[in-house]
Amino acid sequence: MRLQWREILLILATLALMLLIITPFINLYGRFTSLDGTVGAIDHPELWLNSDPLTMITYFFGDIFCPQIMSRSFILNGSQMAFCIRDVSVLIGIVAGLVFSYTEFSKMIGFRKSILMISYAFIILMIDWAIQHTMDVDVAISRILTGTFFGFALMCVLSSYENLIRRM
């Protein structure tokens, strides 16, 4: 049996999400805090370099790809997750969107509606980012909602495009 792109992506996204959730729990309580840094730079290798391989990989990628601001992170086992609330929420939305793509309801959306959905999701995400950035506020629930909606809409576009191609 050959796996399709959706199955592969669902497996990878679910594993990544599980890794992000599990990593704080396989370490001492509160080991990873105040990770604030710069995207594109390795800011805190002293915290994760001497850890187990799962922790090293997870926090290495978080250190490079996410600013890891404490107030913008989920806290599990007293530690920040390796990625911020919005990034984790996008991943949750991707997993949810992929699961949704296997339902009959997903076929009702269609390609045009999914394009509108991702457009709205992107606009809302950017408006939320702009408001929070310019007003220097951190509203976790809006980061969770906009991130999840964007990840979900992204998977709806990809699956509806696949459905469109199959019908041609």
Side-chain angles (χ1 to χ4, degrees), residues 38-142:
T38 306
V39 174
I42 297 176
D43 300 299
H44 300 287
E46 71 280 358
L47 291 175
W48 47 261
L49 203 52
N50 295 321
S51 299
D52 62 275
L54 290 177
T55 300
M56 266 198 312
I57 290 167
T58 305
Y59 280 93
F60 168 76
F61 283 109
D63 208 355
I64 289 178
F65 294 114
C66 189
Q68 297 179 312
I69 297 168
M70 185 95 171
S71 62
R72 297 179 186 170
S73 298
F74 287 116
I75 307 297
L76 300 176
N77 193 35
S79 292
Q80 287 176 248
M81 289 181 77
F83 286 85
C84 68
I85 287 174
R86 184 170 284 137
D87 293 349
V88 172
S89 297
V90 168
L91 192 54
I92 290 168
I94 287 171
V95 170
L98 286 167
V99 170
F100 177 76
S101 73
Y102 287 102
T103 68
E104 289 300 316
F105 296 112
S106 69
K107 291 175 181 64
M108 290 190 288
I109 291 177
F111 186 65
R112 288 185 181 166
K113 289 179 186 172
S114 67
I115 291 291
L116 281 174
M117 185 189 307
I118 192 67
S119 300
Y120 292 142
F122 183 74
I123 290 167
I124 292 168
L125 187 80
M126 290 294 98
I127 290 170
D128 180 57
W129 174 85
I131 290 170
Q132 292 196 40
H133 184 72
T134 56
M135 296 182 158
D136 197 30
V137 294
D138 291 325
V139 182
I141 192 67
S142 71

Side-chain angles (χ1 to χ4, degrees), residues 22 27 113 123 130 162:
I22 290 169
N27 288 280
K113 289 179 186 172
I123 290 167
E162 179 187 37

